[in-house]
Amino acid sequence: MREGIPGPHHVTHLGRFRFVLIFTGCLLFAFGLLLTPPIQSLDVQFSRTLVQVSHWLILACGGHASRDAAILRAPGGFGVEMRDGCNAVNVTILLWSAVLAFPASWKMKAVGLVVGSAVIQALNIVRFISLFYVGQYSLTWFDFAHIYLWESLLVLDTMVVFWFWVSRVVRLDAAACAPA
Amino acid sequence: MPLPVPQLRPTTRFLVRGSTLLIGILALWWVSLRGPMLDLLHGAAGVFLQIRENPSGDWIVRVPFETLLPPTAKRPVAQQIHSINFEMPRSDASRFIFSLPVFWAIILAAPCARRNLWSLLIGTAIMAALEVALLLAFVDLAAYQAISHIQGDAGFRWGRQLGLYIVPDVLPYLLPFGVALSLHRELREQVFAVDTVMGRRARIS
């Protein structure tokens, strides 16, 4: 290796540093933005929409529930409210920061942002509906599932969604670089 | 003739193993490890803070905080503050100890079993230290917030709110993944495709 030309190991460190820097910057910026009043009101609207979708899904599958703004109620009286942090916006921010920080084309980044967000939101609706039923069974296990289990599972899923997207980027890059 | 075992993709394998381990280990933590781990956190944080437990098991935290409150219309005499006491429900304190079982689940789900034990041991020590650091950071931020509220100081309110959101609600969920990716080379290389994309793109830029 000639002097002055960085080797692959050196280059990898540079790429990693760049990723961590952009990822942290995006994360702090987005979480900061999330706390501002205009975004908070959008966040509340978004939560209500998710509750509406969950309510519709429960009814479509033959379940029983009523809806009041962002609260889903069971016939027995138990109610679960989707508050800030329960609408998976925080894990979506995590995915967006990782996708934006990763070196890929803007087209692939757009695909990652849209498809990844859709997957996470679909999972979050499953989470919300499952919590609605767990809460009717036991409040202790509701706390466990709500605060610890589902939140950690969502972060794990976000990591896997990102990993899956990276492997797609690599495969498409390899196909584009392959000799004709 | 035996049926061929389907070969799962690394992403699917990690998702299945990680989810199963997360459910199992977190349930074990919730049922039997939470109490002893809270006691350990209490002991470790007790080196830096005064923590007492009330009869219901909630924590009473005393944070040393030297400040002079200037006189106001409501309080004509200046007041010297030496410390701030506040109550922390046991459930809130638990937020600072669940990262460890999450970390164990990620490491055990990661590829290459040889590396797992080393990462598990080092990572457990790092995670334990980070959990204490997060609790101390949260307590300091909460004390600073309380003093600012008494003083009517609106300066840097957004920053304080951001800190009080990120420290207890974001970092305990993120750190186990960050630490696992930092320590476990195979997992990191697979997730980020390190030698392919990141290296090539960095070279181009």
Side-chain angles (χ1 to χ4, degrees):
Chain A
M1 189 168 58
R2 275 186 296 158
E3 210 176 303
I5 299 173
H9 186 67
H10 187 124
V11 167
T12 301
H13 274 297
L14 190 69
R16 217 176 289 164
F17 177 70
R18 179 185 173 274
F19 176 87
V20 171
L21 206 67
I22 299 175
F23 174 75
T24 312
C26 287
L27 210 61
L28 285 176
F29 175 75
F31 280 128
L33 202 65
L34 189 64
L35 294 178
T36 57
I39 302 294
Q40 278 289 305
S41 73
L42 282 177
D43 196 45
V44 170
Q45 285 300 322
F46 182 60
S47 297
R48 286 182 183 184
T49 310
L50 291 181
V51 174
Q52 208 169 352
V53 174
S54 308
H55 181 226
W56 179 82
L57 277 172
I58 289 172
L59 296 185
C61 295
H64 301 283
S66 60
R67 187 181 71 85
D68 175 17
I71 303 173
L72 199 61
R73 285 192 200 284
F78 172 79
V80 59
E81 183 180 6
M82 189 179 281
R83 286 188 184 161
D84 181 28
C86 303
N87 53 13
V89 165
N90 42 12
V91 275
T92 308
I93 285 175
L94 184 66
L95 177 78
W96 284 23
S97 304
V99 166
L100 289 175
F102 195 79
S105 68
W106 282 105
K107 188 184 159 195
M108 281 310 290
K109 284 185 185 189
V111 171
L113 295 181
V114 173
V115 178
S117 305
V119 171
I120 289 172
Q121 287 305 328
L123 269 169
N124 191 49
I125 286 177
V126 173
R127 164 185 177 263
F128 187 67
I129 294 174
S130 77
L131 287 175
F132 175 67
Y133 285 105
V134 170
Q136 292 174 55
Y137 168 71
S138 156
L139 281 178
T140 309
W141 284 101
F142 172 82
D143 280 345
F144 166 70
H146 174 224
I147 302 170
Y148 306 108
L149 182 62
W150 261 118
E151 286 289 325
S152 307
L153 277 174
L154 272 182
V155 182
L156 178 85
D157 294 333
T158 305
M159 179 178 156
V160 172
V161 166
F162 173 72
W163 184 353
F164 185 77
W165 173 78
V166 168
S167 60
R168 289 283 301 174
V169 168
V170 172
R171 216 175 307 150
L172 289 175
D173 258 24
C177 294
Chain B
M1 201 173 101
L3 287 169
V5 180
Q7 192 71 29
L8 291 174
R9 284 184 203 198
T11 41
T12 316
R13 197 165 48 232
F14 180 76
L15 179 64
V16 173
R17 286 178 60 168
S19 305
T20 312
L21 283 162
L22 207 54
I23 293 167
I25 295 177
L26 269 179
L28 178 75
W29 167 80
W30 179 255
V31 171
S32 57
L33 295 177
R34 196 164 41 123
M37 283 172 77
L38 264 178
D39 290 343
L40 284 175
L41 181 69
H42 184 165
V47 175
F48 307 96
L49 301 165
Q50 238 184 45
I51 304 173
R52 284 184 295 114
E53 265 188 38
N54 67 16
S56 60
D58 295 338
W59 290 6
I60 314 283
V61 183
R62 170 173 279 194
V63 192
F65 203 100
E66 289 293 335
T67 188
L68 183 72
L69 294 179
T72 59
K74 277 185 187 171
R75 190 186 54 242
V77 183
Q79 199 179 351
Q80 178 72 40
I81 303 256
H82 301 288
S83 64
I84 294 171
N85 285 6
F86 63 90
E87 199 173 297
M88 190 184 223
R90 207 170 166 78
S91 56
D92 283 4
S94 296
R95 278 178 179 246
F96 297 99
I97 51 165
F98 84 98
S99 309
L100 199 52
V102 173
F103 170 77
W104 292 335
I106 304 161
I107 286 294
L108 292 174
C112 188
R114 271 181 299 124
R115 205 165 256 280
N116 289 356
L117 184 65
W118 181 85
S119 306
L120 198 72
L121 292 175
I122 301 282
T124 298
I126 294 173
M127 283 306 306
L130 284 173
E131 285 179 341
V132 177
L134 278 184
L135 174 68
L136 296 176
F138 171 71
V139 160
D140 267 357
L141 279 168
Y144 186 64
Q145 171 85 336
I147 285 292
S148 304
H149 185 71
I150 295 168
Q151 287 178 324
D153 175 16
F156 207 54
R157 205 169 93 184
W158 175 81
R160 287 198 306 265
Q161 279 181 337
L162 183 63
L164 281 170
Y165 175 60
I166 285 185
V167 171
D169 292 332
V170 176
L171 289 179
Y173 297 96
L174 270 191
L175 284 175
F177 291 86
V179 172
L181 285 168
S182 307
L183 290 177
H184 202 290
R185 206 183 70 211
E186 279 79 9
L187 181 64
R188 186 173 63 241
E189 284 179 356
Q190 286 195 8
V191 172
F192 291 99
V194 170
D195 291 330
T196 48
V197 176
M198 284 189 117
R200 188 161 63 238
R201 294 297 162 90
R203 208 176 298 145
I204 290 166
S205 61

